[in-house]
């Protein structure tokens, strides 16, 4: 063999070996799942934003439970390929992929071609971490109370009116007691006199008469006073209830159950209400979001058929709006949810328990103001608030509230 031929063969072998060298130098080998906290945290964010709708770690949901998926699947490479394009893996005749396809009623997993291998490895890191932790045990509150934002009765002066009514009744009773005491004392004093004639004695010591009682001026005054006070309270309560629709639960064109979707299946609110973190409005889901699942799930249901009909006829589903603020009030979902970190349940109540959604809060001006007075500003990790926190700490030892940063200014909501 000449030197030229030997050199050529060595060059070919080196060329063929280069891909293997690069593969071997990857940050994670085929069976190496990251364990760094930052990778697990990244995986949790990716899982919650993309996988949580169809998968849980320890329980079946729309798709299989993902506990130990890295051990059950043929390989890590298989998982990466399946996540990026499940239909391609199924079409290739892969035995494991087709078994899953048949088990879950021929429902194909949504493809994520934009996910890199590193991102999928981060998701697997989160799944592995959750697998090792085991199923979470639900924490039960000792008092059974659920934390909410503003006070339930804030904004409506019912409590104040009740206090005024009770106060007036107490004053009236005290006046009555004083009058009885004065009358008793005067009666004893006059009875001690010897110069009273029979007519005067009859006045001083009157006999009880029910007919005389109801015709007496004090009795008539008390009845009129109580009637006027109760009427005033009813009128005021009804005036303040104008525009308040707490408990409003209209019938919707499609019987959608939040208890089933958000409660039992734990579908994140943001999956359907896509604008809640990025815009003023949370927006009502369009039919194509429903079809992400219902193109394969419960396709024969009469209610699901209504979605198909809306798509085929190119007509929007006419959902009835439940939470509706007046035009004069400005409210921004992104500001409260994304920046403020306010949970949906704070304003909308226990949506996960509602078969038919109803307005759970008052949504009045006073209700909002009360929340601004009580809520701490979420300043952690946000440099925007650093100077405000510094100035606030110079004046007060209390936590920075929304009202301290202009949360009670009229122009914040009315402009």
């Amino acid at each position: 063999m000449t030197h030229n031929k030997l050199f050529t063969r060595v060059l070919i072998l080196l060329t063929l070996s280069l891909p293997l060298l690069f593969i071997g130098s990857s940050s994670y080998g085929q069976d190496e799942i990251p364990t760094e906290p930052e990778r697990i945290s990244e995986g949790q964010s990716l899982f919650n934003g993309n996988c949580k709708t169809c998968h849980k770690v320890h329980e079946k949901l729309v798709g299989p439970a993902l506990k130990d998926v890295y051990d059950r699947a043929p390989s890590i490479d298989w998982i990466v390929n399946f996540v990026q394009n499940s239909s391609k893996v199924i079409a290739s005749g892969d035995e494991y992929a087709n078994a899953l396809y048949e088990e879950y009623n021929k429902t194909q997993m949504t493809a994520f071609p934009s996910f890199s291998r590193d991102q999928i490895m981060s998701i697997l890191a989160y799944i592995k971490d959750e697998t090792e932790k085991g199923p979470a045990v639900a924490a039960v509150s000792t008092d059974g109370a659920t934390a909410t934002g503003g006070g339930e009765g804030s904004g409506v002066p019912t409590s104040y009116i009740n206090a005024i009514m009770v106060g007036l009744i107490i004053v009236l009773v005290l006046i009555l007691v004083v009058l009885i005491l004065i009358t008793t004392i005067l009666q004893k004093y006059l009875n001690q006199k010897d110069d009273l004639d029979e007519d005067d004695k009859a006045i001083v010591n009157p006999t009880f008469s029910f007919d005389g009682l109801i015709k007496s001026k004090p009795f008539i005054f008390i009845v009129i006073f109580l009637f006027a006070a109760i009427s005033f309270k009813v009128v005021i309560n009804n005036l303040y209830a104008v525009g308040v629709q707490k408990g409003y639960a209209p019938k919707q064109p499609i019987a959608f159950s939040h208890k089933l979707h958000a409660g039992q299946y734990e579908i994140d609110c943001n999956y359907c209400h896509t604008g809640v973190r990025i815009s003023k409005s949370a927006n009502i889901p369009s039919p194509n979001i429903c079809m992400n699942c219902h193109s394969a799930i419960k396709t024969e249901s009469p209610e699901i058929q209504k979605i198909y009909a809306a798509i085929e006829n190119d007509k929007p589903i006419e959902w009835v709006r439940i939470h509706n603020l007046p035009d004069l009030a400005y409210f921004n979902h992104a500001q409260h949810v994304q920046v403020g970190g306010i949970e949906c349940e704070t304003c909308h109540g226990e949506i996960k328990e509602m078969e038919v959604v109803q307005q759970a809060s008052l949504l009045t001006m006073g209700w909002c103001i009360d929340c601004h007075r009580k809520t701490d500003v979420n300043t952690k990790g946000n440099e925007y608030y650093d100077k405000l926190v510094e100035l606030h700490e110079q004046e007060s030892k209390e936590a920075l509230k929304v009202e301290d940063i202009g949360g009670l200014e009229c122009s914040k909501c009315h402009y």
Side-chain angles (χ1 to χ4, degrees):
M1 183 181 294
T2 63
H3 288 291
N4 287 338
K5 289 182 177 180
L6 179 63
F7 177 75
T8 302
R9 289 190 176 184
V10 171
L11 184 62
I12 292 171
L13 287 171
L14 286 172
T15 303
L16 293 172
S17 301
L18 281 175
L20 297 176
L21 291 172
F22 281 109
I23 292 172
S25 65
S26 175
S27 58
Y28 294 101
Q30 179 171 322
D31 296 319
E32 289 184 41
I33 296 175
T35 56
E36 297 91 337
E38 58 272 15
R39 294 297 297 276
I40 293 173
S41 177
E42 179 191 7
Q44 182 179 8
S45 298
L46 289 168
F47 182 89
N48 289 338
N50 301 276
C51 314
K52 188 177 179 181
T53 303
C54 299
H55 294 282
K56 289 185 179 182
V57 176
H58 298 284
E59 301 173 30
K60 279 186 178 182
L61 196 57
V62 176
L66 298 181
K67 176 185 176 182
D68 295 328
V69 65
Y70 41 82
D71 291 332
R72 291 184 279 113
S75 67
I76 298 295
D77 284 336
W78 185 94
I79 294 175
V80 172
N81 292 331
F82 193 80
V83 171
Q84 291 175 338
N85 194 342
S86 62
S87 59
K88 182 179 179 181
V89 178
I90 293 169
S92 71
D94 182 272
E95 184 177 349
Y96 188 77
N98 278 276
L100 285 174
Y101 182 59
E102 293 296 330
E103 181 182 353
Y104 288 89
N105 300 320
K106 296 185 177 181
T107 301
Q108 289 190 359
M109 173 179 160
T110 304
F112 295 93
S114 61
F115 273 19
S116 66
R117 181 186 178 86
D118 277 348
Q119 286 177 313
I120 296 172
M121 292 298 288
S122 294
I123 294 173
L124 288 175
Y126 168 69
I127 292 171
K128 185 176 181 181
D129 184 65
E130 289 297 307
T131 299
E132 292 172 352
K133 287 179 181 177
V137 179
V140 179
S141 174
T142 55
D143 57 2
T146 302
T148 58
E152 189 58 40
S154 59
V156 174
T158 303
S159 58
Y160 298 106
I161 294 175
N162 289 339
I164 292 171
M165 289 289 294
V166 171
L168 288 174
I169 291 171
I170 291 173
V171 170
L172 189 63
V173 170
L174 289 175
I175 292 173
L176 187 62
V177 170
V178 170
L179 288 174
I180 291 172
L181 289 174
I182 293 173
T183 303
T184 304
I185 293 171
L186 287 173
Q187 189 179 29
K188 288 181 178 180
Y189 173 76
L190 292 172
N191 282 329
Q192 292 175 356
K193 289 184 170 293
D194 297 329
D195 55 348
L196 291 177
D197 56 27
E198 293 301 324
D199 292 335
D200 291 336
K201 286 182 180 181
I203 295 173
V204 173
N205 302 295
T207 57
F208 176 76
S209 170
F210 182 77
D211 184 62
L213 175 66
I214 61 176
K215 291 181 179 179
S216 63
K217 291 182 179 180
F219 181 81
I220 293 173
F221 170 77
I222 292 173
V223 170
I224 293 174
F225 173 82
L226 290 176
F227 177 79
I230 293 172
S231 300
F232 174 77
K233 181 180 183 299
V234 171
V235 170
I236 292 297
N237 281 347
N238 282 280
L239 286 175
Y240 272 95
V242 172
V244 178
Q245 302 184 72
K246 182 179 177 183
Y248 177 55
K251 184 179 179 180
Q252 299 292 352
I254 297 176
F256 179 88
S257 170
H258 277 76
K259 185 176 183 179
L260 176 67
H261 291 78
Q264 182 177 339
Y265 291 131
E266 295 185 354
I267 296 176
D268 186 16
C269 302
N270 299 276
Y271 181 78
C272 300
H273 300 282
T274 54
V276 72
R277 294 186 181 277
I278 58 175
S279 68
K280 174 180 180 289
S281 301
N283 73 276
I284 296 174
S286 57
N288 68 298
I289 292 180
C290 305
M291 295 304 293
N292 287 342
C293 295
H294 288 296
S295 57
I297 297 171
K298 296 195 72 175
T299 56
E300 301 303 320
S301 166
E303 297 301 318
I304 304 304
Q305 289 297 317
K306 295 178 182 179
I307 303 176
Y308 295 159
I311 295 172
E312 290 169 2
N313 297 325
D314 196 24
K315 290 184 177 180
I317 300 169
E318 297 182 0
W319 300 102
V320 181
R321 184 164 186 166
I322 300 170
H323 303 86
N324 192 18
L325 295 179
D327 292 339
L328 56 84
Y330 174 83
F331 178 85
N332 189 304
H333 272 86
Q335 183 181 7
H336 287 76
V337 178
Q338 182 67 21
V339 180
I342 304 298
E343 296 294 335
C344 303
E345 291 84 356
T346 302
C347 299
H348 295 291
E350 292 298 328
I351 289 287
K352 296 177 181 179
E353 301 297 327
M354 296 182 188
E355 281 289 349
V356 178
V357 173
Q358 63 173 285
Q359 181 175 316
S361 302
L362 294 169
L363 303 185
T364 60
M365 176 175 156
W367 183 84
C368 296
I369 287 175
D370 190 62
C371 184
H372 284 187
R373 285 172 174 160
K374 294 178 179 178
T375 303
D376 296 342
V377 179
N378 182 17
T379 62
K380 187 177 181 180
N382 193 334
E383 295 180 359
Y384 173 84
Y385 294 109
D386 289 350
K387 187 63 178 178
L388 291 172
V389 172
E390 181 183 342
L391 293 172
H392 178 74
E393 288 177 346
Q394 293 175 4
E395 302 293 333
S396 174
K397 295 182 180 180
E398 300 292 331
L400 184 68
K401 305 288 184 183
V402 177
E403 69 171 339
D404 298 322
I405 58 171
L408 301 188
E409 293 178 6
C410 302
S411 58
K412 291 290 184 181
C413 303
H414 309 291
Y415 55 90

